[in-house]
Amino acid sequence: MKKIVLGLVGLMGLMEFVGCDKIEESEYTVFDGAVVTWQISEKSIMPVQRAYVEKYTGPRCSNCPNADVTLAGIHNDNVVMVSINHPTGQGMPYPDQPDLRTDGGNAWDAWFGINAIPAAYLNRNRSTQYQGSMSNIVNDINEALTINPTVAMEAEAHKAGDKVNITVDLKFVKAYPGKVTLTVALVEDSLCYKQLLPDGSYDENYVHNHMLRKVITGFWGRDVEAIGAEGEALTGSLSFTPDDDIVLANSHIVAFISDKGTRKVLNCVNCEIE
């Protein structure tokens, strides 16, 4: 059964939110996601500011490969990328191709109000949307990386039987007055499936990277049990069971801290699954 968050999108956007399947009202369930357990930490964390780039794409989008080239050219350890297939139109899979749309990605897409792809946002700043080849995102990312972080973050993920255990360490480098949330997701690289190219031809084995496969926490994160005082440090622990079709060797964990009200990302981190 599909998992749907009630209230995240209005009834006008419900059909887009759930994709092509029709789900009866009696089948609605609330997606809670993994619970995060918090404890005080004394771990030393390097105060590194990273940039969170959320890109909306699709296999039927001829301009999306150009955006991929731009973003691949700037990707490094301090740039955390997540690619999300748009739930309708150019984001829909071709027949007999894998459907990599996700309920979490659909919810985020609806919140942004994405109506054309490729589209991207930097640190979930809704005031600036990057489209097309996205050449104008490069300078903004570089500028974002120069900011002194409000929150420092580190993360680890380890396989334990059929589960993956995750720890996220954070420390408030400076005081933050608002409430914040932690969102954790699984992203997979090296997924090969059909993609429309800029010249109108098709690449049957186009390599898709940074694809969102699962939002592990609730779609809008879990509350961080902190007062936001300078120097406050916490460790959050959670676990989940990955789906059978996910190749963990090609996957990594993405975590980000965001303002609970505006959802703007304060900092982010990614890590391999060991």
Side-chain angles (χ1 to χ4, degrees):
M1 181 187 297
K2 282 185 177 288
K3 293 178 179 178
I4 304 170
V5 175
L6 299 183
L8 290 180
V9 294
L11 291 177
M12 292 297 292
L14 182 60
M15 289 306 295
E16 182 177 60
F17 181 77
V18 301
C20 297
D21 297 339
K22 178 176 176 56
I23 303 225
E24 299 300 329
E25 186 173 357
S26 61
E27 296 180 335
Y28 293 168
T29 61
V30 176
F31 179 81
D32 290 326
V35 174
V36 180
T37 301
W38 295 100
Q39 62 183 16
I40 297 173
S41 173
E42 296 182 357
K43 183 176 181 179
S44 177
I45 305 175
M46 290 293 293
V48 177
Q49 181 64 53
R50 302 179 186 87
Y52 177 71
V53 178
E54 201 165 274
K55 181 192 69 173
Y56 293 83
T57 184
R60 299 174 186 265
C61 169
S62 63
N63 288 324
C64 289
N66 287 333
D68 290 344
V69 171
T70 299
L71 295 176
I74 59 175
H75 186 253
N76 59 58
D77 291 341
N78 291 336
V79 180
V80 177
M81 296 188 185
V82 177
S83 294
I84 298 161
N85 274 3
H86 186 58
T88 61
Q90 294 178 335
M92 295 178 65
Y94 291 99
D96 301 321
Q97 295 287 300
D99 186 353
L100 297 181
R101 295 172 295 177
T102 65
D103 291 338
N106 293 349
W108 296 350
D109 184 291
W111 178 71
F112 278 118
I114 304 294
N115 54 28
I117 56 175
Y121 287 90
L122 173 59
N123 292 330
R124 283 195 171 168
N125 181 356
R126 298 177 79 179
S127 65
T128 304
Q129 184 187 81
Y130 303 92
Q131 294 183 311
S133 65
M134 299 189 186
S135 58
N136 57 336
I137 200 174
V138 178
N139 288 338
D140 288 352
I141 288 175
N142 290 333
E143 183 176 349
L145 294 175
T146 66
I147 298 173
N148 293 324
T150 298
V151 182
M153 296 184 67
E154 290 182 358
E156 294 182 358
H158 300 274
K159 290 181 288 186
D162 62 346
K163 292 185 177 294
V164 175
N165 297 326
I166 303 166
T167 58
V168 180
D169 295 290
L170 60 92
K171 182 176 183 178
F172 286 86
V173 180
K174 50 189 176 184
Y176 190 77
K179 294 183 177 181
V180 296
T181 58
L182 169 70
T183 304
V184 180
L186 182 139
V187 174
E188 188 173 355
D189 294 328
S190 303
L191 290 160
C192 297
Y193 59 92
K194 186 176 181 178
Q195 174 69 47
L196 180 62
L197 301 178
D199 63 2
S201 64
Y202 297 91
D203 185 339
E204 299 288 342
N205 292 292
Y206 188 87
V207 179
H208 297 259
N209 292 317
H210 323 297
M211 293 302 304
L212 176 68
R213 299 303 309 278
K214 183 180 182 67
V215 182
I216 299 167
T217 57
F219 299 157
W220 303 112
R222 290 292 188 184
D223 289 348
V224 176
E225 296 178 3
I227 60 174
E230 181 179 343
E232 187 175 11
L234 297 170
T235 297
S237 303
L238 63 155
S239 64
F240 78 105
T241 302
D243 294 338
D244 292 339
D245 64 338
I246 292 174
V247 180
L248 290 182
N250 295 337
S251 302
H252 54 279
I253 298 299
V254 167
F256 54 87
I257 296 291
S258 53
D259 183 279
K260 187 171 182 177
T262 65
R263 295 177 180 157
K264 185 174 181 180
V265 173
L266 304 179
N267 209 347
C268 58
V269 67
N270 62 9
C271 68
E272 296 181 352
I273 302 171
E274 300 179 357

